[in-house]
Amino acid sequence: MAERTFRLYDTLSRTVKPLVTVEPDHLRFYCCGPTVYSYAHIGNFRTFLTSDLIVRTAQAIGWRVSYVSNITDVGHLTQDDVADAAGDDKMAKALASKEGEQFANVWDLARHYSDIFEDAWRQLNLQAPTVRPRATEHMREQIIAVEDLIRKGNAYETPTGVYFSVDSFADYGKLSGNRDRENLQVAVRDVVQDDNKRNPADFALWKKDDKHLMQWFSPWGWGFPGWHIECSVMAQKYLGDTIDLHGGGEDLKFPHHECEIAQSEAGTGKPFCNHWIHVTFLQAEGEKMSKSKGNFYTVPDLLEQGYSALAIRMALISVPYAKPHNFTLQTLRDCQGHIERFQECDRRIAAAGSPEPAISEGHELAGLYEEALEAMLNDLNTSVALAKTLEGVKVILRQTTLAGDEAAAAVWFLDKVNHLLGIVRPLYVSLAEEAASGSDEIDGKAIDAWIEERQAAKKGKDFAKADAIRDKLIAAGVELRDTPQGVEWIRR
RNA sequence: GGCGACGUGCCCAAGUGGUUAAGGGAAGGGACUGCAAAUCCCUCAUCCGCCGGUUCGAAUCCGGCCGUCGCCUCCA
């Protein structure tokens, strides 16, 4: 494969630049995952979908990808926003809420939401990360990292915990642009509880608290780690001192990623990460989504309303990650229609005997795939990639009877596009599953009987009866198609 | 207050200096059908929020204005 350039916007340099890996053709990528104290909404998944597309695009040009995405199952605090840690614990708060009554303890709660999260992850056809580490399973590494920072003079202990000294790290603020230390201090001062901090902007690496619901023993007594240290530690453990790409939601730019850079670079003396990507927040029906507002769609909710997971996926990636994207049910319905056209392609492929994928050079579909890939390599232009995909579908469906080389080319195209965008594949699975699990509804034999009866009615010009049968079948989720070859039916 | 994004047809949306302004949805017309559904074909922005400027040439660059939104403050 010819050497390809993968261009991506980089938050650090504020430009779109080629993604260059330390090790040729091997991308080491860390994406910050969720804190599992509640249900994830589709906005969360815009971020993970973007990461997934990065992984797929890299794979499409022949790169190997080491992809790490964590789960934060430690409570942390609701006011980590100002880099320091103070205030109520998210997990504790969730446990104390009405929804939390069903859980035995915070560990149980974290496991519950984490399981639901991973289910949705799979349903949206997101590739499994190479490693999905959990903060609570890396306590020892975090403690060692904090000790190391104290030894190097970047951190110090006070009666309330251990803090990172932002003044000991000259580059603090280089990612977010928060160079204005004064302004930062004003913000931090509002919630800081420890006057022993050297600089109000110093953030917590370890909090001492022997009353906390999740606590561990450390050189500083019972307590729990600061929010930022887990990602520094897990990224280093699984990907090395210097990683190629680090991503997350736009809100993580500051303080989270800023703090990660400070901790990691102070600890190793090497650049932490060469390329940063941040995903713009999703809006829904013209309004901002948020956990606290409660105006969010979740994957299980939308599935229950009858939308397919692939349609949800497609709707969420239909606008490039860096642009504001207003998710609406209208968009979702449009995508549902597109997914059904993929299914139509699949039926015709099946009718053509499901040939092995093959395509001749210069074939129209080969050109369209190339254009879709090119769009993805250009800062993940999903709008264009999707447009090329739909054009390909049109090319396939334009042929009244799909057969031979054309059928093989159609298989090739759908396979390629599916690897790249992940919006086609589960189709084949789900169709098979549907056929297998359809027994609880009206069975094939009964359908055939109805069709026969309808054909007889049509023959006798009793169209009222024929239509009544058709309506009945539609109500049962069976769609009839009168073709020159006879009557076919599919489940909807 | 600091930082940033966006404003393209009825709707979503690509395009960031130069032939006919991608693609999809909706809508209208047609083929097919007993009628439908599915599928296919055709039509659908001389114009890109407004006003100036730069240029041989701008939706694309610059300035101003108006409007919408986001981050910095639970958030991916």
Side-chain angles (χ1 to χ4, degrees), chain A residues 222-295:
Chain A
W222 289 95
F224 58 95
W227 172 36
H228 317 298
I229 194 70
E230 61 168 276
C231 287
S232 281
V233 156
M234 296 189 290
Q236 184 184 19
K237 174 169 181 178
Y238 296 107
L239 297 172
D241 290 349
T242 298
I243 66 179
D244 301 312
L245 177 67
H246 192 132
E250 60 176 321
D251 58 308
L252 298 184
K253 236 181 273 180
F254 184 88
H256 188 57
H257 289 161
E258 198 71 76
C259 296
E260 276 188 59
I261 292 174
Q263 295 161 345
S264 293
E265 298 194 350
T268 66
K270 299 176 196 165
F272 175 45
C273 176
N274 292 323
H275 206 124
W276 290 83
I277 187 166
H278 291 95
V279 180
T280 302
F281 269 2
L282 183 77
Q283 300 199 216
E285 308 296 346
E287 263 205 287
K288 185 192 166 191
M289 297 183 71
S290 76
K291 288 178 180 175
S292 64
K293 268 192 187 169
N295 68 333

Side-chain angles (χ1 to χ4, degrees), chain A residues 314-328:
Chain A
M314 192 172 186
L316 288 172
I317 68 172
S318 64
V319 176
Y321 74 94
K323 296 213 175 190
H325 178 16
N326 180 22
F327 179 93
T328 64

Side-chain angles (χ1 to χ4, degrees), chain A residues 30 70-76 107 132-142 216 225-227 229-231 233-234:
Chain A
Y30 188 96
N70 69 296
I71 281 189
T72 298
D73 54 355
V74 186
H76 295 305
W107 304 87
R132 192 195 290 289
R134 291 169 173 271
T136 53
E137 290 167 3
H138 296 78
M139 210 43 67
R140 182 181 146 73
E141 290 89 337
Q142 293 182 68
W216 292 264
W227 172 36
I229 194 70
E230 61 168 276
C231 287
V233 156
M234 296 189 290

Side-chain angles (χ1 to χ4, degrees), chain A residues 171-473:
Chain A
D171 277 338
Y172 190 73
K174 69 176 172 182
L175 180 71
S176 61
N178 281 336
R179 293 289 195 173
D180 183 354
R181 210 58 65 78
E182 285 306 311
N183 203 11
L184 210 55
Q185 291 179 9
V186 169
V188 171
R189 201 164 286 136
D190 293 337
V191 294
V192 70
Q193 297 178 328
D194 187 344
D195 294 334
N196 294 306
K197 276 163 62 171
R198 293 178 189 166
N199 183 325
D202 289 351
F203 58 89
L205 294 172
W206 188 268
K207 274 296 204 185
K208 298 179 183 176
D209 185 352
D210 59 9
K211 304 277 192 305
H212 201 255
L213 292 175
M214 282 182 163
Q215 53 173 299
W216 292 264
F217 192 69
S218 75
W220 317 284
W222 289 95
F224 58 95
W227 172 36
H228 317 298
I229 194 70
E230 61 168 276
C231 287
S232 281
V233 156
M234 296 189 290
Q236 184 184 19
K237 174 169 181 178
Y238 296 107
L239 297 172
D241 290 349
T242 298
I243 66 179
D244 301 312
L245 177 67
H246 192 132
E250 60 176 321
D251 58 308
L252 298 184
K253 236 181 273 180
F254 184 88
H256 188 57
H257 289 161
E258 198 71 76
C259 296
E260 276 188 59
I261 292 174
Q263 295 161 345
S264 293
E265 298 194 350
T268 66
K270 299 176 196 165
F272 175 45
C273 176
N274 292 323
H275 206 124
W276 290 83
I277 187 166
H278 291 95
V279 180
T280 302
F281 269 2
L282 183 77
Q283 300 199 216
E285 308 296 346
E287 263 205 287
K288 185 192 166 191
M289 297 183 71
S290 76
K291 288 178 180 175
S292 64
K293 268 192 187 169
N295 68 333
F296 57 80
Y297 294 120
T298 67
V299 172
D301 286 350
L302 292 173
L303 290 174
E304 198 165 312
Q305 286 172 42
Y307 298 102
S308 75
L310 286 179
I312 298 169
R313 177 180 172 104
M314 192 172 186
L316 288 172
I317 68 172
S318 64
V319 176
Y321 74 94
K323 296 213 175 190
H325 178 16
N326 180 22
F327 179 93
T328 64
L329 254 23
Q330 182 55 55
T331 302
L332 186 52
R333 280 191 288 269
D334 290 352
C335 290
Q336 187 68 48
H338 298 142
I339 298 304
E340 280 162 20
R341 281 170 68 78
F342 291 141
Q343 295 182 333
E344 186 64 26
C345 289
D346 184 58
R347 282 184 204 102
R348 298 196 189 179
I349 285 167
S354 301
E356 288 300 307
I359 196 160
S360 56
E361 211 165 310
H363 193 285
E364 190 176 4
L365 289 176
L368 285 169
Y369 170 70
E370 180 54 36
E371 288 183 86
L373 175 58
E374 200 53 56
M376 293 302 282
L377 290 169
N378 183 22
D379 201 20
L380 299 180
N381 191 334
T382 46
S383 293
V384 170
L386 253 20
K388 297 303 169 188
T389 300
L390 296 178
E391 283 185 60
V393 167
K394 186 160 225 162
V395 168
I396 294 168
L397 293 181
R398 189 144 56 204
Q399 302 163 76
T400 339
T401 47
L402 194 61
D405 292 348
E406 289 305 307
V411 175
W412 179 90
F413 180 78
L414 292 176
D415 278 0
K416 294 292 276 186
V417 141
N418 186 52
H419 280 122
L420 185 62
L421 302 172
I423 50 177
V424 187
R425 188 186 57 194
L427 185 62
Y428 299 100
V429 178
S430 70
L431 280 181
E433 280 174 358
E434 264 176 45
S437 70
S439 53
D440 55 319
E441 292 166 1
I442 182 165
D443 70 40
K445 252 188 180 159
I447 294 169
D448 289 339
W450 283 113
I451 288 174
E452 239 174 78
E453 194 169 337
R454 172 167 171 269
Q455 290 302 85
K458 279 172 70 176
K459 215 166 196 171
K461 302 271 186 229
D462 185 355
F463 296 123
K465 183 178 179 188
D467 290 350
I469 293 170
R470 184 171 62 196
D471 291 344
K472 183 190 172 103
L473 288 172

